[in-house]
Amino acid sequence: MSGGTGNLVGERAGPSPAIAGGLMRALTLVADRQIELRNIPAPAAPAEGEVQIHIKAIGLNHIDVWGWRGMAFAKRTLPLIVGVEAAGEIVGVGGGVNSCRVGDRVVAYGALTCGVCKACREGRDNLCENVASIMGFHVDGFARDLVNMPARLVEPIPAGVSFRDAACAPVAFGTVQHMLFDNAKLESGETILVQAGGSGIGSTAIKMAKAIGCTVITTVGDDAKAAKAKTIGADHVINYRTERFEGVVRKLTGKKGVDVAFEHVGPDTFNGSLLCLKRGGRLVTCGSTSGQSITMNLFQLYLQQYRIFGSFGCSLRNIRESLAKMAAGLLPVIDTDVRLDDFERGLARLESRQVFGKIIVTF
Ligand SMILES: [Zn+2]
């Protein structure tokens, strides 16, 4: 674990030495749980409205694990270049692009939204009515030396923020920013329960909630993670393997319950998270790593006046807000750095949940 400032891998400008003879590296999913590092033709110059990005760092997320394992409902064809969130440097600019220049450091928004529907026009990008696909999941993603992107889907990285930290903005930070502040409307002074505080988004939620002066209760699966959760600001840490978190939260809040529950674990914890809420409390969820379905007590739902928010992805504004937080010193918790050809080792580590914070892939 580190604050994420020390390692500036690939911070220098210029084309990657890996791009030779018109070929570039691309990490390609060829079958379920089978990724190959291939040499493929580099993209043509960026078209009208596009930029060409030299990718420097990629953040791993659970969506990468889902994609790697294979998902029956996902419409996609293999081989597929992996990598869902990334940071890099602009090395080419197509016609009509005035928003960025060669040499700019940027992150990319990996959902190919239409840019013209009502939701897109209103800045609610993750509610786009015509979203084509998620890069790295449905269509080719960012784990390659060069990628051409619509210029409207990139955001500049503020000075002083490394590629490695910025790579966590489009998915991990953006998702949490959207969950806590657009959906759950978390406010200073409130109490929040963050499930699985050792995960990439859990550790981000702890830091973002502490930064605005909330009381943070979090759950983790072992004592080593408990110590780490304290060092990043959690006020109370519950080892869910040795204690019933519902009972502990009840005690910690004087039987009142928390204002907000931050969920992404699913069936293993969802109803327990609801039980932890005070009357009128808000539960926000962006994932369900422990399964798909639950049975819910509807009496409890309306009598306690719970508000439940499903949240997926974020808007471009949320990415800007995330990068601004990083520039102000709120950095991602980095568990491990792996090299491009060790991408699968990173996924296996993420799947095993033996992580505290984010896994970053550098080129
Ligand atoms: Zn749209």
Side-chain angles (χ1 to χ4, degrees), residues 113-117 120 128-130:
T113 56
C114 75
V116 295
C117 74
C120 279
C128 171
E129 294 160 23
N130 312 301

Side-chain angles (χ1 to χ4, degrees), residues 67-118:
W68 175 56
R69 281 179 187 159
M71 279 190 108
F73 66 79
K75 282 184 188 152
R76 58 184 192 166
T77 42
L78 302 182
L80 177 94
I81 299 170
V82 297
V84 178
E85 71 173 343
E89 182 184 319
I90 293 182
V91 291
V93 174
V97 175
N98 303 311
S99 55
C100 32
R101 285 187 288 191
V102 168
D104 284 355
R105 301 174 337 120
V106 294
V107 297
Y109 187 80
L112 296 173
T113 56
C114 75
V116 295
C117 74
K118 187 166 185 286

